[in-house]
Amino acid sequence: MTIALNSPVVPKLSKLTRYLEQINESGHFTNFGPLHHELTRRLEAYLGVKNLLLISNGTLALQVVYKTLGITSAITTPFSFVATTSSLLWQGIDTQFCDIDRNTYNLSPEKVREAIKRDPKVNGIIATHVYGNPCDVEEFSRLASNNNVKVVYDAAHAFGIKVGDKSVLNYGDASILSFHATKVFHTIEGGAIVFKRKEDYEKAKQLINFAICKGEVTDVGINAKLNEYQCAVGLTVLDDIDEILTHRADLFALYKECLNDIVELPKWHSSANTNGAYFPICLGSEAELSRVAEELSKRNIQYRPYFKPSLDSVFSDVKADILDISRDISNRVLCLPLHYNLSRADVIEVSAAVKRGMSCPVQ
Ligand SMILES: Cc1ncc(COP(=O)(O)O)c(C=O)c1O
């Protein structure tokens, strides 16, 4: 039996069918229909946010944010999923990489501060809450107001994460979420933007509908709307979200209990909860990672070196500061299976395989 790295939450058919019947009867399939409205309101209430705009995927959400906020020159992290950077390049934005923090693996505010000093053209910071672990949001807020730059968080992994009692999505000028099937909450494909300001939300809402306003094209827009069938999936999954988050956070805690003392884990924000989106471990060396990977493969346990490679090696034309930490962590990190369909027994089995891999004699 394989232990899968990830496995999507399957929407309950009985509930989903009722929504689909409702859509078919109304004939309202897309363009901000009733289920779109219902999902928006329910997500805003659940997450504790305002100005949430549903988008057809997380990558387009990033692109729409950059255009809405007028970002033309950005600093970003090389330690993220490819879309964080490719969305910037697709928009033709002047992009540069800064290194990450050695403990949290999130973009380093200190490195960003130095880079802004060197390049006053920079008007955007794009930082990822890696694995759902909040960035140093207070420090980025200070940096933004002292330097007149916008902050965008790629919060694709951070569904349900709070700093203290405030949603992490309330920091920065905007945050994006991904609702891809592999995420904690999903609409198969999908995403959202949470804007700080109502006027940015209004502007983006037009942009994602071809920039049409009262029948007139007012700007260069795009089509990034989420359709009613996908909203039906979202509403169905959302009914079970507390159970999903509790189960994932429980597995995360169990992994931590099993592995905390023997492998390095990213240092979690001291005031934040966990959502069990991923369980990354950082091994002592590439050789040790290979031994652990071999042991996992032998037992049909899936894993993923995530994020590898550091994105500066994918986009070698992008300006880059010294990125020693991102490169080093990328070569030593891997994510273990973690999903709603995983059991506590699976976590114990995976952890035992990791331990065996680590104690294998060096060849
Ligand atoms: C950090 C990060 N940013 C952006 C995305 C892109 O989201 P989507 O797949 O919804 O386009 C992902 C998706 O995996 C991601 O992990």
Side-chain angles (χ1 to χ4, degrees), residues 57-59 62 80-81 83-84 128 154 156-157 178-180 183 190 306:
N57 61 63
T59 307
L62 285 166
S80 186
F81 183 61
T84 316
T128 301
D154 181 337
H157 303 169
S178 165
F179 300 154
H180 183 261
K183 297 293 189 280
Y306 191 62

Side-chain angles (χ1 to χ4, degrees), residues 184-198:
V184 168
F185 165 80
H186 79 92
T187 57
I188 303 180
E189 292 277 359
I193 309 170
V194 174
F195 285 104
K196 182 188 217 159
R197 287 170 292 272
K198 180 87 176 160

Side-chain angles (χ1 to χ4, degrees), residues 58-67 69-78 80-98 107 122-128 150-154 176 311 315 318-319:
T59 307
L60 273 170
L62 285 166
Q63 289 173 220
V64 170
V65 166
Y66 307 148
K67 167 114 177 143
L69 299 180
I71 290 170
T72 49
S73 178
I75 293 175
T76 192
T77 171
S80 186
F81 183 61
V82 62
T84 316
T85 301
S86 62
S87 54
L88 284 161
L89 302 179
W90 188 278
Q91 289 300 114
I93 292 167
D94 177 41
T95 301
Q96 52 184 299
F97 289 123
C98 279
L107 184 63
V122 170
N123 68 351
I125 300 168
I126 320 304
T128 301
K150 300 270 167 62
V151 178
V152 174
Y153 289 112
D154 181 337
I176 74 95
L311 291 173
F315 301 109
V318 170
K319 264 179 287 175

